[in-house]
Amino acid sequence: MFVTLNHICKSYGSGDSRVDVLRGIDLSIEKGEFCVLLGPSGSGKSTLLNIVGGIDTADSGEICIGSDSIRGMSERKLTDYRRRHLGYVFQMYNLIPNLTVRENIEVGAYLADRPLPVEELLHTLGLWDHRDKRPNQLSGGQQQRTAIGRAIVKNPDILLCDEPTGALDYATSKEILKLIATVNETYGNTVLMVTHNDAIKGMADRVVKLRDGAVRSDRLNERKLTVEELEW
Amino acid sequence: MRDPLRKRLLRELREDWSKYLAIFLIFLLSIAFVSGFLVADGSMIAAYNGSFEKYRIEDGHFITRNRLNLQQKRALEKSGVSLTDLFFADLPVAENESTVRVYANRSEVDLACLMEGRLASVPGEIAIDRMYADNNGIGVGDVLTVGGTPMTVVGKVALPDYSALFENNADSMFDAVRFCVGVVSRAQFDAFPANKITWSYAWSYPDAPSTEAEERERADEFLKDFFAAGGLEEWVPRYANQAITFTGDDLGGDRAMMLVLLYMIIAIVAFIFGITVENTIVKEAAVIGTLRASGYTRRELILHYLTLPALITLAAAMLGNLLGYTVLKNVCVSMYYGSYSLPTYVTVWSGEAFVLTTLIPGALVLVISWLLLQRKLRLSPLKFLRRDLSKRRSRRAVRLSPALPFITRFRLRIIFQNLGSYLILFAGILFADLLLMFGLGLPVTLDHFQKNLETGKLSEYQYILKVPVEAMNEEEKLKSMVSFLWYSHEVETETPGAEKFSAYSLNTLGNEGRQEEVMFYGVEDGSAYVDVKMAPGDFMISRSMADKYRRGAGDTFTFTEPYEDRTYTFTITGISDYSGAVAVFMPRSDLNRVFDLGSSYFSGYFSDQPITDIDEKYIGTVIDLESLSKISRQLDVSMGSMMGLVNGFAIIIYFVVIYVLSKMIIEKNAQSISMVKILGYTNAEIARLYLLSTTIAAVVSMLAALPIVGAALREIFHAMLMWRMTGWMYLYIGKREILTILLLGLLTYLAVAALEMRRIRRIPMDQALKNVE
């Protein structure tokens, strides 16, 4: 297994106001697998993603990437871990507003020893004609493609996507999902995608359903659907 | 229902206390200092103006060679003036090589204002000038050896006819370190030997002239009467007496400069406020969009965002005025007392100071902030909701070649993004540098001037002879000629190396600056002292004069006879290296001819040795190093102590401007910083991206500001010397001062950068995640 989570627990607050967000999550994901974390709001899926991403910490439990445990890593080591292994895509893109499309992608490239060629990626992402624009001159879909470009340019081992289509319309959402699927197939990155859109599960290798901080189901798709086949 | 948004104000203040505190402090200090200054200045002007009547200041005084008898005095008083004896003796003070001009206690004119202790009542006591005493650390009860007689200092006084301690009326600067006035009891004064007494008489008009022109006319008429009486050595009407008028001219002169400084600071802070508010708007775009969409008017939001700047300004202005009227007023008053021998004062509360330091700055902040807010909040609610706050959507990013390293482009983008802030940073640095350069440059300039005097002086001593006034009386030519022949015989010297020169004084026209007396030297051919070769017809000016009046060879210069309409225009043929004074050099024969003085006329000696074989009564002035350096010594006393204050204030401005702006830049980019942290950038890398851009802007600003500030300060200094002082001093700012300014700037920046580094470290990664709404 490439990503292994053993009995991850996380809570916020204390005393009467204590909220258990994750209640002992166990999960294993193969290298190169496309895993979708499904669940309603408050189920703990984003928290789980952030813990895997090293930007939040678990109260207890073990997270292993390959043979390395990230639990107890210092801030510096966690930074290095994110730098070398992770790519992040958010619902709200989080692009740097005063950089152009190309430069936003280069923000990711800068971190990698062997980044993917930025110009080739701009073509692949359909952003070549927009490369010198700033984020506020782009549509939502174009911004999300830029964010994906920034995440994958360093060819990360794991691509973490937090509701990447949450702010997009149907057609654009499909376009983005297709892009993520292509990235997964082309570069073989492990993809962990959080969504509350049940329809998306069809394109995943593994579908994990969360509710109230616990895994309700964890199953492999026998037949993966293409993005075109997804409907919602 | 009260506006619920109000509740945010206190929270915003709490969350961002350091920024608001910094802005508050800079406001407070500026307003406190300027209001203190204005109140002190106003009170001092009132005390000075009031002193004319209160202490019965003379309308003029004259000195005669011999004591006037009663009959002569009555004859003079027939011209409608009343005369009062104001005899004095210039006596050396053994303890500190200075001179005290001793008068008997006064009861009719120029009454002494007692500042401390009491007046002398018996022989062996003296009350001396308060400022001289302070400058020399003399206290009541100390004993001074005055003219060989031990005298106990029983009091400190201010004599209204010496509010500026000019020893001679022709001096370019007063001297409150080596020259003093004092009053003793009548019995003590009468005990002085008669040959030490100078027969000085003050005159007063029974009805004061209403205009200066009338004052001049009456003084001129009175002068004519004198020539008939004979024996006149010196004649100084009040309007021409620097010891009385200099203080009045100077008081109030700093006022305009202080107000300009205040408004510059206020404008900078107002723009900082503006940028702060703009940042808040960017940060709260979605909230503003929602509020506008819900029905809040633009005006309501403008008022909301204007409230904090207004409250901060108001609080700073109130407290600033309070501090100004209490603590800083005293600081400013002591600065005046450090320069002038002013009488006691009563604080005059000034409504004008309140308007200038409180209402106008407050209005300035509000108007600038309001304009910026108005501009920013003009966008539609939808644009706010979409966080799209750029006015021109189609504007593309400045194109940067991909050939440039990514980090360089990133930093350039940060610089472009914050150009407005960096411009204000530049303005702040310009302003702080101006203060720093002045604070650091003035002491060095004074030092430099002093050293130049020592190395570049014409001779160790210049003796200016005193031609008796009666020898110049045109109405009785025969008497005058005899008198002159006698004088000429008496002033020959055997001193080796002594070289005659002619001297003549003319005034500048006063249209380019303050009118000043210029000494014309008529120099012997092949002079051993004036190192310039001159041919007949040459008219050379000193380096000081060339620098001050910005004239060179080929230019013309027009002078006027003091108190006459006659003017002289000369064409400058060259510039001498002499920089000790504003002076003109001509061949002696030319000077004698031009001013119709007679071919054998001379009026003094250059000598490297003291001349001892001429009767002291024929020696008007001895110009030596000490007298030439009066200007630097006095400036050092008057302003030297203030320089620490100026430097400290400059550093505070540096710190506040850099701190607030770099803080804002980091905060503005907090979301992006949080994001790149998530991506795996280290804190050091983030600092290199975000902080180094500000570092570059700060360092470039510091470097670019220096030549601008240097040129501006030179102009200000030039204007100050032109309009406020006679004489000239080259503003010397050496490499050392420049490096110190840079170093102080950089150290201040480093301190700020360390704080900002900490701020970067504290930006949480979940800030980027919270953006998901």
Side-chain angles (χ1 to χ4, degrees), chain A residues 98-155:
Chain A
N98 54 331
L99 297 187
T100 61
V101 167
R102 174 202 284 271
E103 288 159 352
N104 263 290
I105 293 174
E106 283 175 325
V107 169
Y110 174 76
L111 297 170
D113 294 334
R114 279 193 299 265
L116 302 177
V118 174
E119 299 203 344
E120 191 184 306
L121 196 58
L122 281 166
H123 283 292
T124 309
L125 295 166
L127 291 170
W128 179 251
D129 291 339
H130 306 290
R131 65 191 182 284
D132 290 325
K133 287 182 182 169
R134 280 195 278 208
N136 68 351
Q137 295 171 303
L138 302 176
S139 68
Q142 287 163 339
Q143 288 191 60
Q144 194 59 298
R145 273 188 274 155
T146 308
I148 291 170
R150 179 179 64 189
I152 63 169
V153 68
K154 60 179 181 177
N155 200 8

Side-chain angles (χ1 to χ4, degrees), chain B residues 54 75 110 116 192 366 385 437 501 505 574 604 634 707:
Chain B
K54 186 174 177 189
D110 298 333
E116 190 185 335
F192 292 140
L366 289 184
L385 284 169
M437 206 177 265
F501 66 86
S505 290
Q634 189 53 47

Side-chain angles (χ1 to χ4, degrees), chain B residues 29 38 44 86 125 351 550 557 574 748:
Chain B
L29 288 175
L38 291 179
M44 282 299 164
L86 211 61
E125 291 181 348
R550 295 178 173 167
F557 205 111
T748 312

Side-chain angles (χ1 to χ4, degrees), chain A residues 50 55 79 82-83 88 90-91 94 97-100 103 106-107 110-111 132 136-137 150 154, chain B residues 390 393 395-396 399 406 409-410 413 417 671 675 677-681 685 765 768-769 771-772:
Chain A
N50 292 342
I55 56 176
T79 301
R82 289 196 301 274
R83 192 182 181 105
Y88 240 116
F90 296 98
Q91 179 180 350
N94 279 326
N98 54 331
L99 297 187
T100 61
E103 288 159 352
E106 283 175 325
V107 169
Y110 174 76
L111 297 170
D132 290 325
N136 68 351
Q137 295 171 303
R150 179 179 64 189
K154 60 179 181 177
Chain B
S390 61
R393 188 182 166 83
R395 198 178 67 175
R396 290 175 78 97
R399 195 171 146 65
F406 165 67
R409 276 178 287 147
F410 198 118
R413 295 282 178 215
Q417 177 201 30
Q671 188 79 18
M675 184 59 217
K677 272 190 179 183
I678 291 174
L679 293 180
Y681 277 71
E685 280 170 334
M765 278 182 279
L769 309 178
N771 192 24
V772 185

Side-chain angles (χ1 to χ4, degrees), chain B residues 107 148 270 328 373 432 769:
Chain B
S107 57
L328 282 151
L373 277 168
L769 309 178

Side-chain angles (χ1 to χ4, degrees), chain B residues 254-437:
Chain B
D254 299 326
R255 197 182 139 88
M257 198 171 83
M258 293 299 276
L259 284 174
V260 169
L261 290 183
L262 175 72
Y263 291 141
M264 278 169 75
I265 297 174
I266 300 291
I268 291 170
V269 176
F271 277 104
I272 290 179
F273 260 138
I275 289 198
T276 310
V277 167
E278 258 192 18
N279 263 4
T280 311
I281 289 174
V282 172
K283 204 163 73 184
E284 302 197 337
V287 177
I288 293 169
T290 310
L291 291 172
R292 292 275 288 119
S294 316
Y296 270 80
T297 63
R298 188 184 302 142
R299 192 173 156 275
E300 279 168 332
L301 290 178
I302 289 178
L303 280 179
H304 172 66
Y305 287 108
L306 212 52
T307 306
L308 261 186
L311 286 178
I312 301 277
T313 312
L314 189 71
M318 304 274 262
L319 202 60
N321 269 286
L322 201 68
L323 269 178
Y325 276 72
T326 52
V327 182
L328 282 151
K329 180 205 73 183
N330 297 332
V331 173
C332 296
V333 162
S334 64
M335 264 158 49
Y336 277 128
Y337 274 134
S339 300
Y340 301 113
S341 242
L342 285 156
T344 47
Y345 77 100
V346 177
T347 303
V348 180
W349 303 107
S350 162
E352 195 193 2
F354 182 74
V355 171
L356 292 173
T357 59
T358 308
L359 296 187
I360 294 181
L364 205 62
V365 167
L366 289 184
V367 167
I368 293 176
S369 305
W370 183 81
L371 285 175
L372 289 170
L373 277 168
Q374 174 79 10
R375 195 176 64 103
K376 205 76 192 172
L377 286 175
R378 212 174 285 158
L379 297 171
S380 70
L382 200 58
K383 282 207 156 204
F384 277 106
L385 284 169
R386 288 178 180 161
R387 296 170 177 272
D388 175 17
L389 302 188
S390 61
K391 285 231 173 55
R392 289 169 290 171
R393 188 182 166 83
S394 59
R395 198 178 67 175
R396 290 175 78 97
V398 177
R399 195 171 146 65
L400 295 174
S401 164
L404 285 172
F406 165 67
I407 295 289
T408 309
R409 276 178 287 147
F410 198 118
R411 282 187 199 131
L412 283 172
R413 295 282 178 215
I414 300 288
I415 290 174
F416 294 153
Q417 177 201 30
N418 296 293
L419 266 184
S421 302
Y422 291 143
L423 276 177
I424 291 171
L425 181 77
F426 182 60
I429 287 177
L430 268 182
F431 184 74
D433 270 2
L434 192 72
L435 292 180
L436 261 185
M437 206 177 265

